[in-house]
């Protein structure tokens, strides 16, 4: 069965060694500082091990600048065009420059925009997002963002589905919004927002299948079968780690196919 990972990053050294990830490294038993960047071949090998056929690699932009920039992501995709698609980042300090760059990136084949609110300490209702959100509609690409608490050492308030995702969806009903990291501990809020808005979706990145909250599993099995997408948050989790106990969820084959690949193909126009 095909697998598409909608939330990945191939980290640069400046991304891997940023102090905000120290807590995650402790949890994962990783060294405090890496001396060499992870080879792109290792990322592809991890995908092979987990039977992930395609990964959406994202850039990371924050108030300190880029930790993974759009040019670097384009370079990764160019090396393995059959295995990756590119997701753009945007610099909220200069929204119109970011809009112009997004337009160029989509022309180059980038399939979405992703902004991580806790990195900016700005919720997605902040006015600096809105030119980019309007551009996503105009360019017909999804807006990907993070919901729920933060594992890194930053505040979590920006990850509330209500009021932030709810309000963005009200302001931009045409915008396809993909909310990564499930929304825990506000998973019920996240499901309510996805139910309310036709163009709001949830991805499971940063969680292994056996750790999905029960209410999300029930949603995936039932009315939310076209609303939930698979993601890992690689390199935090690999595909094999995230899917090791997928069968415990007792999904039927049609639901599993939509979850692992079908929903992503439709939403990101990957066919």
């Amino acid at each position: 069965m095909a697998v598409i990972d909608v939330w990945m990053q191939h980290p640069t050294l400046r991304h891997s060694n940023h102090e905000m990830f120290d807590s995650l490294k402790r949890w994962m038993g990783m060294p405090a500082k890496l001396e060499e960047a992870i080879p792109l071949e290792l990322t592809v090998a991890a995908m092979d091990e987990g039977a992930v056929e395609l990964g959406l690699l994202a850039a990371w932009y924050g108030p300190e600048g880029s930790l993974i920039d759009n040019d670097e992501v384009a370079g990764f995709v160019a090396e393995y065009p059959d295995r990756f698609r590119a997701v753009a980042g945007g610099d909220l300090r200069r929204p119109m420059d970011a809009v112009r760059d997004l337009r160029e990136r989509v022309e180059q084949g980038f399939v979405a925009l992703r902004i991580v609110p806790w990195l900016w300490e700005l919720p997605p209702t902040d006015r600096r997002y809105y030119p980019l959100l309007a551009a996503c509609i105009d360019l017909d690409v999804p807006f990907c963002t993070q919901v729920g608490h933060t594992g890194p050492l930053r505040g979590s308030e920006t990850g509330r589905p209500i009021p932030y995702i709810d309000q963005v969806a009200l302001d931009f009903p045409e915008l396809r919004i993909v909310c990564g990291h499930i929304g825990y501990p506000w998973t019920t809020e996240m499901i309510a927002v996805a139910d309310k808005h036709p163009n709001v979706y949830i991805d499971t990145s940063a969680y292994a299948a056996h750790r999905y909250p029960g209410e999300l599993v029930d949603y995936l099995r039932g009315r939310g079968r076209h609303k939930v997408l698979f993601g890992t948050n690689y390199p935090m989790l690999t595909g094999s780690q995230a899917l090791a106990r997928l069968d415990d969820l007792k999904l039927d084959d049609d639901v599993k196919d939509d979850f692992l690949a079908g929903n992503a193909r439709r939403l990101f126009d990957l066919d």
Side-chain angles (χ1 to χ4, degrees), residues 130-262:
Y130 276 36
L132 280 161
L133 302 186
C136 284
I137 296 171
D138 190 38
L139 295 166
D140 195 26
V141 295
F143 168 59
C144 303
T145 192
Q146 174 270 343
V147 290
H149 77 104
T150 63
L153 297 175
R154 294 292 188 272
S156 296
E157 171 60 25
T158 58
R160 291 292 300 249
I162 298 174
Y164 304 123
I165 301 300
D166 188 38
Q167 188 61 55
V168 169
L170 289 169
D171 290 342
F172 296 96
E174 300 167 71
L175 179 66
R176 304 196 302 280
I177 307 171
V178 184
C179 300
H181 298 12
I182 288 177
Y184 179 83
W186 307 297
T187 309
T188 303
E189 277 190 22
M190 188 63 253
I191 292 170
V193 174
D195 269 342
K196 178 178 178 179
H197 299 286
N199 285 324
V200 173
Y201 300 82
I202 305 168
D203 87 52
T204 61
S205 54
Y207 287 81
H210 68 279
R211 294 188 59 237
Y212 297 168
E215 60 267 40
L216 182 69
V217 176
D218 290 342
Y219 187 61
L220 174 58
R221 287 178 183 147
R223 69 187 187 281
R225 62 170 292 178
H226 297 303
K227 286 282 198 163
V228 185
L229 296 79
F230 171 71
T232 62
N233 196 28
Y234 177 88
M236 178 187 171
L237 283 176
T238 65
S240 58
Q241 290 169 330
L243 293 172
R245 293 172 56 182
L246 180 67
D247 288 345
D248 292 356
L249 305 187
K250 295 180 171 56
L251 307 177
D252 68 41
D253 286 345
D254 288 341
V255 169
K256 191 183 297 185
D257 183 62
D258 282 336
F259 168 53
L260 293 178

Side-chain angles (χ1 to χ4, degrees), residues 45-64:
M47 293 169 64
D48 290 340
E49 182 182 3
V52 176
E53 72 172 39
L54 190 68
L56 274 55
L57 289 182
W60 272 64
Y61 284 78
E64 301 171 4

